[in-house]
Amino acid sequence: MVTNPVELWQWFAHSDAGLAFRIGVAATAIGLLGVADQFLARPRSTRWIEYLILLVAVIVALIEGAGLTIRVVLGATVLGLLALIDLYTNGCQAKRWREYLFLLIAVFVGLAYGIANDQITCRLSWEYFYYGKELSEILGDKIPPDYRQLSWEATKVGMKATWTMGLLIGVFILLANNPREGRPSLPYIELLKRLPMIVGSAILFAMILSWVGHAGGLTYLSNDFREMVAHNDYRPYEFMRVYGIHLGGYIGGFFGMVGAIVSIVRQRGKMIERVATGRSPSLASGETG
């Protein structure tokens, strides 16, 4: 029985039931995006093909056994297929490659954050990765493990965790900017300006929860944490500091994404007001179409 957030995450991330739940959530979310796009943003949209391809990609990416290479190749292949669909449908008038380029940039920003984050945290608590991320089978019995090997394995862990987050954040930002009748879209340079906001929010929350974890404030989250503190195993406060950094990154990334979406919606609203008052919207020239 799941009794705390840590056990819930372990169930969600590693169990067969958790895998089914993840796939169900992904299918539902992408299905809802497709319905919204069909009936709200583009009344005669044919983008359901793209959502179907994206759904297949996300399902494969969520499968625990899918390695980093498979996920990266899959992501590049999906964006390539979507670009070909756009080219086949619209010929020389194809403009959607800008969306895919933005998604690629969002993915690379996510990858960069994940790599930097885990390069720092693997030096704060090798125990978090060795025991918490179950890298002991890869790193061997030497304690502490070889730091070069630990650094590389931590890099792969970070990339696996954050490239999908970067992709999903990019998708939601594009949907917030989706062109609708009477509501012009922002140029892509304005969307790119939101990415540092999201990264900054992730870093801020990571710093806050790093301090909370190191102070023992996360002990109540798990019986494992309490046992670690009671027996002083695995340098428990450094372990919880790193756990707090990772947890804070996800929480901060979510709130940063919400803030970015709100700012996009508000800026688009101001463009409408400028048009209504007879002023030329300065961003209209960058409408994404």
Side-chain angles (χ1 to χ4, degrees):
M1 179 178 179
V2 176
T3 59
N4 60 63
V6 174
E7 293 177 1
L8 177 61
W9 173 253
Q10 291 173 344
W11 171 86
F12 180 78
H14 300 294
S15 70
D16 291 338
L19 172 60
F21 181 78
R22 284 185 286 164
I23 292 175
V25 169
T28 301
I30 295 175
L32 289 175
L33 294 178
V35 170
D37 187 55
Q38 180 74 22
F39 293 102
L40 297 179
R42 299 173 184 266
R44 297 183 180 180
S45 176
T46 59
R47 297 181 69 180
W48 62 270
I49 301 175
E50 300 177 18
Y51 287 109
L52 180 61
I53 295 174
L54 181 60
L55 174 60
V56 173
V58 170
I59 289 175
V60 174
L62 287 172
I63 296 176
E64 193 67 24
L68 176 62
T69 302
I70 293 177
R71 299 182 191 203
V72 172
V73 171
L74 178 67
T77 302
V78 166
L79 292 179
L81 284 174
L82 297 181
L84 288 175
I85 290 174
D86 185 37
L87 182 63
Y88 176 78
T89 304
N90 300 306
C92 295
Q93 301 300 316
K95 298 179 180 179
R96 303 280 287 286
W97 61 270
R98 298 173 185 171
E99 295 183 5
Y100 311 142
L101 178 59
F102 174 78
L103 289 178
L104 282 175
I105 294 174
V107 167
F108 281 116
V109 169
L111 286 172
Y113 178 88
I115 292 171
N117 182 75
D118 281 14
Q119 286 302 299
I120 294 171
T121 53
C122 76
R123 286 162 174 76
L124 294 175
S125 173
W126 61 266
E127 297 92 340
Y128 177 85
F129 291 90
Y130 190 83
Y131 299 108
K133 292 297 184 181
E134 301 178 349
L135 293 181
S136 56
E137 298 179 2
I138 300 174
L139 298 175
D141 297 330
K142 181 183 177 182
I143 295 177
D146 178 78
Y147 276 99
R148 288 186 179 181
Q149 189 179 5
L150 172 64
S151 177
W152 172 241
E153 295 301 328
T155 295
K156 292 194 289 186
V157 169
M159 293 174 70
K160 287 180 182 178
T162 53
W163 90 266
T164 47
M165 293 300 297
L167 176 61
L168 290 175
I169 286 173
V171 168
F172 280 106
I173 288 179
L174 286 177
L175 286 171
N177 196 48
N178 210 18
R180 296 177 61 182
E181 185 176 355
R183 183 177 287 268
S185 298
L186 302 182
Y188 285 99
I189 188 64
E190 293 296 319
L191 303 187
L192 290 173
K193 291 178 181 178
R194 269 64 180 188
L195 296 181
M197 173 196 304
I198 298 172
V199 173
S201 177
I203 293 174
L204 175 62
F205 277 81
M207 292 174 62
I208 293 172
L209 289 188
S210 169
W211 177 82
V212 172
H214 193 254
L218 301 179
T219 307
Y220 73 94
L221 289 178
S222 170
N223 290 328
D224 291 337
F225 289 165
R226 288 189 285 272
E227 289 291 325
M228 288 165 56
V229 171
H231 298 92
N232 197 28
D233 290 333
Y234 312 138
R235 295 191 301 153
Y237 294 104
E238 294 298 328
F239 193 106
M240 288 187 290
R241 165 186 277 182
V242 170
Y243 179 83
I245 291 174
H246 286 247
L247 180 62
Y250 284 110
I251 294 174
F254 172 77
F255 282 112
M257 181 187 70
V258 172
I261 290 172
V262 171
S263 71
I264 289 170
V265 172
R266 292 184 63 182
Q267 190 168 352
R268 294 179 71 185
K270 291 179 180 179
M271 292 173 64
I272 296 175
E273 292 176 3
R274 293 191 188 101
V275 172
T277 56
R279 291 179 293 169
S280 175
S282 58
L283 299 177
S285 59
E287 186 172 333
T288 58

